[in-house]
Amino acid sequence: MSLAIDILTLFPRMLDGFLAESILGKGIGAGHLQVNVHDLRTWSTDKHRTADDRPFGGGAGMVMKPEPVFAAIEQLQRPGCRRIYLTPDGTPLSPGLAQELAVQSHLIFLSGHYEGIDQRIRDTIIDQEISIGDYVLTNGTLAAAVVIDALARFIPGVLGEEKSLTHESFTSKLLDFPQYTRPAEFRGMSVPEVLLSGNHAEIEKWRHARQVEKTRLVRPDLLK
Ligand code: ADE
């Protein structure tokens, strides 16, 4: 069973390159996941294709209207679907959350815009709210892309080598060790001797020590 994803956004073209390129593009091509991007204005009912309006109670900015969002989700949702709203005040994205999303059968991502969306959307047809970090983007479309990229790597077959999953940062709670490739000497900088030694036990030991060193320096919180 492969994962189907629908993305609802006012800026669908922001995702063109993202979906076509790289490992994700290949995963879609190979049928490991299916991603459909929808312009929310498709579900606007007035002739100006409005999707936002002024906030009740006053204040700056515009608020996304409930009608197009309800209509879109009601049309797209299938039984067992998880409906996700991207927002800086949501649950922080983590590897565990990405892994949990990767085993679902159907996800709908709603990208918010302007100063927010009508609260009735969040109260009734959203199952989960996710933030990709403590900063505010102009809209949630890139945040949806980040969540999809992070979860796609947990779908079997998307990453060529299973090994690249187990060895990397955050699966082990340690940051990555440094990598080198040929040439062994470049502009006077040499690759650490141990990596050229062929001694796998020593290489593992060296890599682990570098991971601990880097984590202590950059992310001491991960060692607690
Ligand atoms: N929309 C705007 N900023 C966001 C963030 N940090 N995470 C998720 N959605 C967002």
Side-chain angles (χ1 to χ4, degrees):
M1 190 183 60
S2 93
L3 169 61
I5 299 174
D6 287 294
I7 306 171
L8 292 167
T9 171
L10 291 174
F11 305 104
R13 284 180 305 164
M14 283 184 83
L15 298 170
D16 286 353
F18 165 68
L19 293 172
E21 295 293 325
S22 170
I23 290 176
L24 192 79
K26 280 191 206 138
I28 293 169
H32 296 304
L33 75 164
Q34 214 191 311
V35 184
N36 294 304
V37 183
H38 308 274
D39 187 340
L40 259 174
R41 292 187 208 280
T42 308
W43 286 275
S44 301
T45 48
D46 62 305
K47 67 171 190 288
H48 303 293
R49 304 184 79 200
T50 337
D52 61 332
D53 207 337
R54 286 167 308 170
F56 278 124
M62 301 290 267
V63 175
M64 206 184 255
K65 290 164 65 61
E67 302 97 314
V69 177
F70 270 76
I73 291 179
E74 282 165 358
Q75 184 186 323
L76 294 171
Q77 67 187 354
R78 298 178 222 151
C81 147
R82 194 183 293 193
R83 303 159 300 184
I84 294 161
Y85 172 51
L86 286 311
T87 173
D89 54 5
T91 303
L93 179 64
S94 65
L97 179 51
Q99 202 159 8
E100 186 189 313
L101 296 175
V103 299
Q104 306 297 312
S105 59
H106 184 205
L107 302 172
I108 295 177
F109 287 101
L110 172 64
S111 158
H113 297 281
Y114 314 118
E115 309 319 297
I117 66 173
D118 191 285
Q119 184 63 31
R120 289 166 291 189
I121 298 168
R122 303 172 72 163
D123 288 345
T124 57
I125 49 164
I126 290 299
D127 303 304
Q128 186 166 34
E129 301 186 333
I130 297 178
S131 164
I132 63 160
D134 289 341
Y135 38 79
V136 181
L137 307 170
T138 55
N139 70 80
T141 309
L142 290 179
V146 167
V147 177
I148 292 166
D149 200 281
L151 73 84
R153 313 171 73 263
F154 290 105
I155 299 173
V158 168
L159 287 190
E161 256 181 293
E162 294 298 325
K163 219 168 100 215
S164 36
L165 248 189
T166 51
H167 263 261
E168 74 194 4
S169 297
F170 300 113
T171 324
S172 64
K173 286 271 183 196
L174 287 176
L175 301 184
D176 271 354
F177 49 77
Q179 296 277 21
Y180 297 88
T181 188
R182 277 176 290 212
E185 177 98 24
F186 175 68
R187 297 192 178 180
M189 297 174 281
S190 319
V191 171
E193 203 63 45
V194 61
L195 299 178
L196 310 174
S197 69
N199 184 334
H200 293 292
E202 280 305 310
I203 291 170
E204 284 293 305
K205 224 166 80 185
W206 181 86
R207 285 180 164 168
H208 187 255
R210 297 292 78 72
Q211 286 188 279
V212 174
E213 191 176 72
K214 171 94 179 180
T215 309
R216 189 167 288 140
L217 193 69
V218 179
R219 291 291 304 276
D221 55 298
L222 291 177
L223 293 171
K224 285 192 197 112

